[in-house]
């Protein structure tokens, strides 16, 4: 492949990523009248990337693609023959599997270790103004311009939080975008503190500061959980590379200093109080931390197979479990099938085809886990740290929601890319 095409493909990935970050801003503030078509603004980019990658022999067919494409096409046909039969809704569901899923492997084949490092620096740079934005949203009323909802909705885009404060969505359409973005940012913050890669120290310190501020301001238990998982993965690097111990101690020390400084400010103290209140009230409803982990994570997985009684063999039809699908079918946005991802897949595609998608996603994670863990022994900790976010996003990320789908696609591709061309750094 010539350098020009390779450069164009890389630029296409950056456009996809930047649209993922700022898609909500377009739908809320800049082009509210186009909020509905902008929901799929990344789809044309994904299609172009697939076509270009195919022409340049970078789109390699593998067992994961064969499994997903086969299940998706069969489900699409079944949807039109024995399911809800709405071709628009079915097509909206189909695009998840045949347009965005392949992009995981395309990103992984176009990007390499150096490209992931460059994108990581972009993420850290974006996290700084993003933190300023969510702080303004946190302390502003829902009627404020900065809190406008999709299509310019004056009722606001914030989600119920605690103590009169709302969870801020940042530049995203919904608050889950804030959680996903900072979970990705946390991976790069930890990585750059641990690695020898060159990065502006002021940028890294400010991004670390922004990450710590975002946790209480976002009022997201998912973000707190994600950062904790990444920290655990960092400690696991010691199993194969004990030399990272001194840097891990340094990260901990620096974080404690930043938290100590932040705790002296009214802004951070109030946000922490609101977050703690939300955490306590939500945990009580779900039966404490154990109920939160088991109910929200493992419970959803088990329930996907146990709660779908009297389900048609081919399910209720592709796309029916998405908010867009429910809007088209019923005129109202709701979870017609299930809120959990595995429940949606089984409910839409049936026990056989839905299970194929689930097993495929799990298989990808297992393979990435093995290769990323081995890479630590070669002093490449990048894919392992990124995997901490990938394992939360790829297996049961809610792909019916465009932002969650985008982050799963990106992180999967970045993990694969992080394993490529590292030897020249040794």
């Amino acid at each position: 492949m010539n350098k020009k095409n390779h450069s164009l493909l890389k630029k296409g990935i950056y456009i996809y990523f930047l649209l993922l970050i700022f898609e909500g801003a377009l739908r809320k503030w800049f082009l509210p009248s186009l909020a509905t078509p902008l929901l799929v603004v990344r789809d044309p980019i994904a299609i172009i990337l697939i076509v270009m990658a195919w022409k340049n022999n970078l789109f390699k067919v593998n067992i994961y693609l064969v499994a997903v494409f086969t299940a998706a096409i069969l489900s699409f046909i079944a949807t039109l023959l024995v399911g809800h039969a709405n071709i628009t809704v079915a097509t909206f569901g189909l695009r998840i599997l045949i347009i965005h899923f392949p992009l995981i492997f395309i990103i992984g084949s176009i990007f390499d270790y150096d490209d992931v490092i460059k994108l990581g620096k972009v993420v850290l740079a974006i996290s700084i103004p993003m933190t300023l934005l969510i702080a303004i949203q946190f302390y502003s009323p829902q009627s404020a311009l900065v809190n406008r909802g999709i299509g310019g909705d004056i009722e606001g885009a914030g989600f119920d939080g605690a103590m009169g404060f709302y969870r801020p969505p940042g530049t995203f359409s919904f608050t889950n975008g804030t959680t996903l973005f900072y979970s990705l940012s946390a991976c790069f913050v930890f990585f750059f503190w641990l690695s020898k890669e060159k990065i502006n120290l002021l940028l890294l310190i400010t991004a670390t500061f922004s990450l710590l501020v975002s946790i209480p301001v976002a009022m997201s238990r998912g973000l707190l959980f994600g950062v904790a998982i990444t920290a655990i993965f960092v400690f696991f690097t010691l199993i194969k590379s004990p030399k990272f111990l001194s840097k891990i101690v340094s990260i901990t020390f620096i974080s404690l200093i930043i938290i100590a400084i932040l705790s002296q400010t009214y802004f951070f103290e109030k946000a922490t109080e609101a977050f703690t209140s939300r955490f306590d009230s939500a945990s009580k409803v779900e039966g404490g931390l154990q109920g939160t982990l088991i109910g929200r994570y493992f419970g959803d997985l088990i329930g996907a197979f146990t709660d779908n009684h009297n389900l048609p063999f081919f399910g209720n039809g592709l796309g029916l479990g998405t908010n867009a699908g429910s809007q088209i079918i019923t005129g109202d946005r709701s979870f017609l099938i299930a809120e959990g991802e595995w429940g949606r897949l089984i409910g839409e595609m049936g026990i056989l085809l839905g299970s194929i998608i689930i097993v495929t996603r799990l298989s990808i994670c297992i393979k990435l886990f093995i290769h990323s863990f081995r890479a630590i022994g070669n002093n490449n900790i990048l894919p392992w740290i990124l995997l901490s976010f990938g394992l939360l996003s790829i297996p049961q990320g809610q792909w019916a929601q465009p932002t969650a789908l985008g982050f799963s696609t990106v992180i999967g591709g970045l993990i694969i890319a992080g394993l490529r061309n590292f030897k020249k750094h040794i």
Side-chain angles (χ1 to χ4, degrees):
M1 181 177 62
N2 61 54
K3 290 184 178 180
K4 182 180 178 180
N5 287 343
H6 200 235
S7 177
L8 285 173
L9 283 165
K10 287 186 178 182
K11 288 177 181 177
I13 294 171
Y14 267 95
I15 292 172
Y16 182 92
F17 175 73
L18 292 175
L19 284 174
L20 171 61
I21 302 298
F22 298 109
E23 165 202 306
L26 295 174
R27 301 179 70 206
K28 294 188 294 185
W29 304 320
F30 300 106
L31 298 170
S33 61
L34 299 175
T36 299
L38 285 172
L39 181 68
V40 291
V41 68
R42 282 176 286 110
D43 286 28
I45 306 300
I47 293 171
I48 292 171
L49 285 169
I50 291 172
V51 172
M52 286 188 66
W54 181 270
K55 287 183 176 180
N56 288 277
N57 200 32
L58 288 173
F59 187 17
K60 307 288 186 179
V61 176
N62 57 47
I63 189 172
Y64 308 113
L65 289 171
V66 171
V68 167
F69 273 43
T70 301
I73 297 301
L74 289 176
S75 182
F76 182 77
I77 295 171
T79 296
L80 299 181
L81 294 179
V82 296
H84 57 69
N86 187 305
I87 192 168
T88 302
V89 174
T91 302
F92 187 80
L94 181 66
R95 51 174 272 286
I96 295 172
L97 299 173
I98 67 169
I99 295 178
H100 293 271
F101 177 75
L103 215 57
I104 293 175
F105 304 101
I106 291 174
I107 293 173
S109 65
I110 296 170
F111 268 22
D112 62 13
Y113 181 90
D114 285 336
D115 295 308
V116 180
I117 296 298
K118 292 174 183 176
L119 184 65
K121 293 176 181 179
V122 172
V123 170
L124 296 192
I126 293 174
S127 73
I128 298 168
M130 184 73 78
T131 303
L132 178 61
L133 174 60
I134 66 170
I136 294 172
Q137 290 175 329
F138 181 84
Y139 279 104
S140 298
Q142 288 299 291
S143 58
L145 177 62
V146 75
N147 278 322
R148 287 284 171 87
I150 298 301
D153 185 1
I154 59 175
E155 291 186 7
F159 199 65
D160 232 359
M163 296 174 56
F165 293 100
Y166 288 78
R167 294 164 58 187
T171 59
F172 302 96
S173 301
F174 190 60
T175 56
N176 74 318
T178 306
T179 298
L180 295 166
F181 172 76
Y182 281 105
S183 295
L184 176 61
S185 176
C187 294
F188 286 114
V189 166
F190 278 107
F191 169 76
F192 281 114
W193 278 116
L194 284 176
S195 75
K196 295 180 180 179
E197 297 297 335
K198 293 181 179 179
I199 185 171
N200 183 288
L201 184 59
L202 180 60
L203 170 62
L204 182 54
I205 293 174
T206 310
T208 305
F209 188 97
S210 298
L211 174 63
L212 294 174
V213 168
S214 73
I215 295 173
V217 173
M219 285 196 288
S220 168
R221 292 178 299 161
L223 174 56
L224 179 63
F225 181 64
V227 174
I229 293 296
T230 300
I232 291 172
F233 268 63
V234 168
F235 278 100
F236 266 91
T237 61
L238 297 175
I239 294 176
K240 299 199 76 172
S241 292
K243 67 177 185 178
F244 288 115
L245 178 60
S246 61
K247 290 192 174 184
I248 291 175
V249 172
S250 298
I251 295 174
T252 305
F253 182 68
I254 292 170
S255 298
L256 290 175
I257 291 176
I258 294 176
I259 292 173
I261 294 172
L262 287 171
S263 64
Q264 301 303 310
T265 65
Y266 173 81
F267 157 78
F268 188 77
E269 182 183 7
K270 197 67 179 177
T272 302
E273 184 181 351
F275 177 48
T276 302
S277 175
R278 178 179 181 273
F279 194 102
D280 290 342
S281 60
S283 293
K284 287 178 182 177
V285 171
E286 295 174 346
L289 181 60
Q290 182 180 1
T292 299
L293 293 177
I294 295 177
R296 295 188 71 194
Y297 194 85
F298 297 106
D300 286 344
L301 308 189
I302 297 170
F305 296 94
T306 59
D307 296 342
N308 284 294
H309 302 296
N310 302 317
L311 182 72
F313 181 77
F314 288 108
N316 293 301
L318 273 177
L320 194 62
T322 66
N323 282 336
S326 69
Q327 179 76 41
I328 294 171
I329 296 292
T330 68
D332 184 37
R333 288 180 177 272
S334 60
F335 295 104
L336 289 181
I337 293 181
E339 185 172 356
E341 176 68 355
W342 286 17
R344 179 189 69 83
L345 287 170
I346 299 297
E348 282 190 0
M349 305 177 71
I351 189 69
L352 175 61
L353 298 180
S355 294
I356 289 175
I357 304 298
I358 291 170
V359 170
T360 301
R361 287 165 67 167
L362 287 174
S363 299
I364 291 171
C365 290
I366 292 171
K367 187 171 184 178
L368 290 177
F369 182 95
I370 293 171
H371 285 282
S372 298
F373 189 67
R374 285 176 179 170
I376 300 174
N378 295 323
N379 296 315
N380 182 6
I381 61 171
L382 177 59
W384 175 254
I385 294 179
L386 291 175
L387 184 69
S388 65
F389 176 41
L391 288 182
L392 296 177
S393 182
I394 298 172
Q396 66 153 353
Q398 295 177 317
W399 287 6
Q401 204 277 334
T403 304
L405 172 63
F407 274 101
S408 290
T409 300
V410 169
I411 192 60
L414 293 182
I415 295 169
I416 296 172
L419 291 164
R420 297 182 58 238
N421 296 336
F422 175 75
K423 288 184 179 180
K424 63 184 179 180
H425 288 257
I426 299 175

